[in-house]
Amino acid sequence: MMQNVHLAPETDEDDLYSGYNDYNPTYDTEELENDTGFQQAVRTSHGRRPPVTAKIPSTAVTRPIATGYGSKTSLASSLGRPMTGAIQDGVTRPMTAVRAAGFTKAALRGSAFDPLGQSRGPAPPLEAKNEDSPEEKIRQLEKKVNELVEESCIANSCGDLKLALEKAKDAGRMERVLVRQREQVTTPENINLDLTYSVLFNLASQYSANEMYTEALNTYQVIVKNKMFSNAGILKVNMGNIYLKQRNYSKAIKFYRMALDQIPSVHKEMRIKIMQNIGVTFIKTGQYSDAINSFEHIMSMAPNLKAGYNLILSYFAIGDREKMKKAFQKLIAVPLEIDEDEKYISPSDDPHTNLLIEAIKNDHLRQMERERKAMAEKYIMTAAKLIAPVIETSFAVGYDWCVEVVKASQYVELANDLEINKAITYLRQRDFNQSVDTLKMLEKKDSRVKSAAATNLSGLYFLQNEFSQASSYADLAVNSDRYNPSALTNKGNTVSANGDHEKAAEFYKEALRNDSSCTEALYNLGLTYKKLNRLDEALDCFLKLQAILRNDAQVLYQIANVHELMKDPSQAIEWLMQLISVVPTDSKVLAKLGELYDSEGDKSQAFQYYYESYRYFPSNIEVIEWLGAYYIDTQFCEKAIQYFERASLIQPTQVKWQLMIASCFRRSGNYQKALDTYKDIHRKFPENVECLRFLVRLCTDIGLKEVQEYATKLKKLEKMKEIKEQRIKSGRDGSGGSRSKWEGSTGNDASYVDPLGPQIERPKTAAKKRGDEDDFADEELGDDLLPE
């Protein structure tokens, strides 16, 4: 024991700091690299071996720990108690201050320092999953049902309603299998009700989306009647919506009210929406008083735009003027709950602030605010146009009242739009002077309103063919707002009306640069290119327009007409066929198809379309003439007679139709009828030479006595005709003029040639060709410029 006791030397008796540098070598960490014992323990498993205890006499040899400072012995405390970490009787005293690091009493039992438990060996292998167990099968079925429900919802969001319904049905079948298996394994209380609810609800929703309303209602009934599903009463709203789509309004109201009774009062927003549905259903049934009660309650509890607008409609239906005014004021007062536009204007030159404003200037929230504001303006404008004619003695006074109310609200900018609508209303009532006066009052407003008023004035004067006034107001509109596509379009129209098509095309192009969706400018540009004979560019314009305005009759005709001008009749026929699918009863389009098929040599197709055109419009002389000539060519003269008779009814002063009738009778062998017809023509047109010639020939063939009489008249007429021709010729020679005058519109029709006369060569039968290919468009579908 005395070997651990150190006596202080006498020389250090006055040294107050002696002994402070003496420490247990266990804590010497500075010379660990030179400690052979520590390095050996690190490189080998020597450090994990249990220490030698004093219980074995042969191995209990006490030796000091070797360190970089040589052999040192432990220091004893002042009380004779060995220090922590000192070796006493072959056993290291535990370091109680750091027990959490792994120093425990196990060292006294011969265990080594092993805080990570490495001496215990590797962890045992995981227990193998038993995939054949009932619990695992149930778990896999639940996973599959959830996947099917998700796939059904995804298919519905992608628009594939049929696939969504199939997936929902598969989920329902698999969920029933799951319930039966779970009942066999566990008690019924352990059934997953949430999964059952989601499967049934998704199935009902998919039935409703596919308009299978009966199946959807049955599925909703299964959910609602099951007492185990809490809060399922709200689904009665969905059932009410289905009854509303089926126009079963009484049941819709019943289910809406049942849902309203089951929804707690804390859900105010949901209750308001249900009451709004109830009000709309009452409007559809004509029960306006009940609808008014619903909407008034909504406007008193939580006012919104839709309820306010529907309230105005209900008051309008019952004709209550004062209530309409009050409801309009309530609609105006509905708060929009959106930020002001000043928020999106940079107040300083701070780059960070500017970047933030640019980021939020057109984000989703800003777009939602714009949509809400646009919806509010639409409701207010529509309500004002609806009630203005009825709330006062005249619509003008009513509009003025609405304008004053709007000016005193947050929608001040709508007042000018109401003034413009007032002018348009005057225009619809054919009161052009009042319309012009109202628009002229807006010329002193701001640039946007001034441009809109000038644009309407320009279009109004253009329609009245006052092109100088239209041009001046178009200039005013363009100067007020150079980026107004309607103003630029009207300016192009006025320039085109004066014949400067190149300059008009430039205005149309500028309008399209400002607004690529301005269909009027694009259509007029195509017409301008067609007039300039730039057919490829015209076709490009109309094809672009056709991509915007699908199945527009005018655009389809213009495309076909351009192909016809480009000498491509097959493409023209193809586009006209598309046009026929849009306007199947348009006689002009059918006649144009017949004309194109006739030019291609397809007489049967031409006859089909000409006949269809005649059936829809039996007064087109060109169609009648073609059909009559067709029957003559096919040797069915009797059928041609009915067409020529109709032509003679339409043009009774034209002798050629009656001559054609007589010729048909003669060709068919009915000479007596032909003779009677010629005699009738002679009584109506006694100076017609052709009629007398055929009378002379028929009377000669039949052997009638009147032949001499008709021959004498024929000679006199021929002699008078010669004298008249000599006078005309001498007049031309004397005056040197080249003017000619057509004679005998009701008498001598020398231009007529009988196609049936045996002594005269029969001409080709074809439809009359148009000199101006644009006449058809001007007459039927409109080849005119479109003003704003």
Side-chain angles (χ1 to χ4, degrees), residues 453-748:
T455 300
N456 284 283
L457 283 169
S458 175
L460 181 60
Y461 283 120
F462 184 85
L463 293 174
Q464 292 178 337
N465 293 328
E466 298 181 15
F467 298 123
S468 59
Q469 289 279 7
S471 180
S472 62
Y473 278 106
D475 290 333
L476 178 61
V478 172
N479 295 332
S480 301
D481 186 3
R482 187 71 188 185
Y483 299 99
N484 186 351
S486 301
L488 292 167
T489 301
N490 284 353
K491 180 60 181 175
N493 292 349
T494 58
V495 172
S496 178
N498 293 327
D500 193 350
H501 302 303
E502 292 286 353
K503 190 174 181 181
E506 293 300 323
F507 280 108
Y508 297 142
K509 289 178 183 177
E510 186 176 355
L512 289 171
R513 284 194 295 269
N514 294 334
D515 183 7
S516 59
S517 63
C518 184
T519 55
E520 292 85 0
L522 188 57
Y523 183 83
N524 293 348
L525 181 62
L527 292 181
T528 304
Y529 281 143
K530 194 169 74 168
K531 290 178 181 178
L532 294 171
N533 202 28
R534 295 157 64 175
L535 300 179
D536 291 333
E537 295 174 86
L539 182 61
D540 184 56
C541 290
F542 291 128
L543 288 175
K544 289 180 181 177
L545 196 59
Q546 198 266 339
I548 300 172
L549 303 175
R550 293 285 182 182
N551 298 328
D552 185 86
Q554 289 187 343
V555 176
L556 291 173
Y557 170 75
Q558 293 298 338
I559 295 174
N561 183 244
V562 172
H563 279 297
E564 183 182 1
L565 295 175
M566 296 171 70
K567 308 301 181 184
D568 190 356
S570 60
Q571 282 294 322
I573 290 173
E574 182 178 344
W575 283 100
L576 286 176
M577 293 297 290
Q578 293 188 35
L579 179 57
I580 285 296
S581 65
V582 178
V583 282
T585 60
D586 193 302
S587 62
K588 287 287 186 179
V589 178
L590 292 166
K592 175 61 72 172
L593 269 172
E595 179 184 339
L596 290 173
Y597 275 116
D598 187 28
S599 64
E600 290 289 294
D602 192 344
K603 293 290 184 180
S604 60
Q605 286 289 344
F607 169 76
Q608 177 184 350
Y609 288 108
Y610 271 122
Y611 181 77
E612 287 294 315
S613 175
Y614 173 80
R615 191 164 64 89
Y616 289 115
F617 184 63
S619 300
N620 191 331
I621 291 296
E622 294 180 359
V623 174
I624 291 172
E625 183 179 8
W626 191 94
L627 288 171
Y630 174 80
Y631 279 118
I632 290 174
D633 282 346
T634 55
Q635 305 299 321
F636 290 99
C637 299
E638 297 85 353
K639 291 186 177 180
I641 292 173
Q642 60 176 333
Y643 295 102
F644 294 133
E645 286 178 346
R646 180 171 289 276
S648 66
L649 291 175
I650 297 171
Q651 296 179 344
T653 60
Q654 293 291 328
V655 67
K656 68 175 183 178
W657 306 121
Q658 300 186 39
L659 289 173
M660 293 292 290
I661 295 172
S663 298
C664 289
F665 281 126
R666 185 163 53 84
R667 172 60 74 178
S668 61
N670 194 346
Y671 296 107
Q672 185 61 44
K673 191 69 176 177
L675 180 62
D676 294 340
T677 305
Y678 281 126
K679 287 181 179 180
D680 186 59
I681 297 171
H682 179 65
R683 283 193 298 270
K684 293 179 181 179
F685 306 98
E687 295 182 358
N688 187 272
V689 177
E690 297 298 329
C691 179
L692 284 172
R693 287 176 181 171
F694 286 113
L695 277 173
V696 170
R697 183 173 182 81
L698 275 177
C699 290
T700 302
D701 293 341
I702 299 176
L704 297 177
K705 296 179 181 180
E706 295 94 335
V707 60
Q708 189 63 37
E709 178 186 354
Y710 292 130
T712 305
K713 290 183 179 180
L714 179 60
K715 288 179 181 180
K716 289 181 180 181
L717 284 176
E718 287 177 346
K719 187 174 183 180
M720 290 175 61
K721 184 178 179 182
E722 289 177 2
I723 295 172
K724 188 180 294 185
E725 288 177 354
Q726 288 176 0
R727 288 177 180 176
I728 294 173
K729 186 177 180 181
S730 61
R732 288 176 182 175
D733 295 340
S735 62
S738 61
R739 186 180 60 181
S740 63
K741 184 178 181 181
W742 184 73
E743 299 289 343
S745 61
T746 59
N748 290 331

Side-chain angles (χ1 to χ4, degrees), residues 52-62:
V52 180
T53 60
K55 297 180 181 180
I56 305 174
S58 59
T59 59
V61 180
T62 303

Side-chain angles (χ1 to χ4, degrees), residues 235-446:
L235 295 182
K236 292 181 179 178
V237 177
N238 294 10
M239 300 175 72
N241 292 339
I242 292 176
Y243 282 121
L244 185 63
K245 291 178 182 178
Q246 293 179 330
R247 298 185 179 182
N248 192 344
Y249 300 125
S250 59
K251 280 198 172 182
I253 294 172
K254 174 184 175 182
F255 275 89
Y256 285 143
R257 285 177 169 172
M258 291 169 63
L260 194 63
D261 294 337
Q262 296 184 14
I263 293 177
S265 58
V266 294
H267 300 292
K268 294 181 180 179
E269 186 175 356
M270 177 61 70
R271 292 177 64 86
I272 289 296
K273 290 182 178 179
I274 295 175
M275 291 190 67
Q276 190 158 324
N277 285 4
I278 293 173
V280 171
T281 310
F282 276 129
I283 288 179
K284 289 183 176 293
T285 58
Q287 302 177 30
Y288 300 112
S289 300
D290 295 327
I292 288 171
N293 294 333
S294 298
F295 293 129
E296 282 184 342
H297 178 74
I298 295 172
M299 294 301 288
S300 62
M301 298 295 295
N304 62 77
L305 295 169
K306 291 183 178 180
Y309 179 70
N310 288 330
L311 183 60
I312 293 175
L313 292 181
S314 302
Y315 283 133
F316 178 81
I318 64 175
D320 195 331
R321 296 184 177 183
E322 295 300 323
K323 292 290 183 65
M324 274 189 275
K325 290 183 177 180
K326 292 180 180 179
F328 185 76
Q329 291 172 340
K330 289 181 181 179
L331 177 64
I332 290 285
V334 173
L336 282 180
E337 299 178 355
I338 62 175
D339 294 327
E340 298 296 332
D341 293 336
E342 286 78 8
K343 174 182 176 181
Y344 302 97
I345 300 176
S346 178
S348 63
D349 295 334
D350 184 14
H352 179 73
T353 305
N354 293 338
L355 286 175
L356 178 62
I357 290 175
E358 287 295 327
I360 67 174
K361 187 176 291 185
N362 199 31
D363 60 356
H364 292 292
L365 180 60
R366 177 61 174 161
Q367 293 174 7
M368 186 185 73
E369 290 177 347
R370 288 200 192 102
E371 291 174 1
R372 183 178 296 179
K373 187 175 181 181
M375 182 180 68
E377 292 176 354
K378 178 183 176 182
Y379 282 142
I380 293 170
M381 292 292 293
T382 308
K385 289 188 288 185
L386 179 68
I387 67 174
V390 297
I391 57 176
E392 298 292 346
T393 55
S394 66
F395 89 93
V397 180
Y399 260 110
D400 293 337
W401 182 88
C402 293
V403 168
E404 293 301 323
V405 173
V406 171
K407 284 182 178 178
S409 68
Q410 56 183 330
Y411 306 99
V412 183
E413 64 275 6
L414 289 182
N416 296 322
D417 295 336
L418 281 174
E419 292 284 357
I420 293 176
N421 279 323
K422 179 181 176 182
I424 294 174
T425 306
Y426 276 125
L427 189 62
R428 288 171 179 167
Q429 294 180 353
R430 303 292 180 180
D431 193 347
F432 299 108
N433 296 328
Q434 287 288 347
S435 178
V436 171
D437 294 340
T438 306
L439 290 171
K440 286 182 176 179
M441 291 173 58
L442 300 174
E443 292 182 13
K444 299 180 181 180
K445 301 290 183 179
D446 58 7

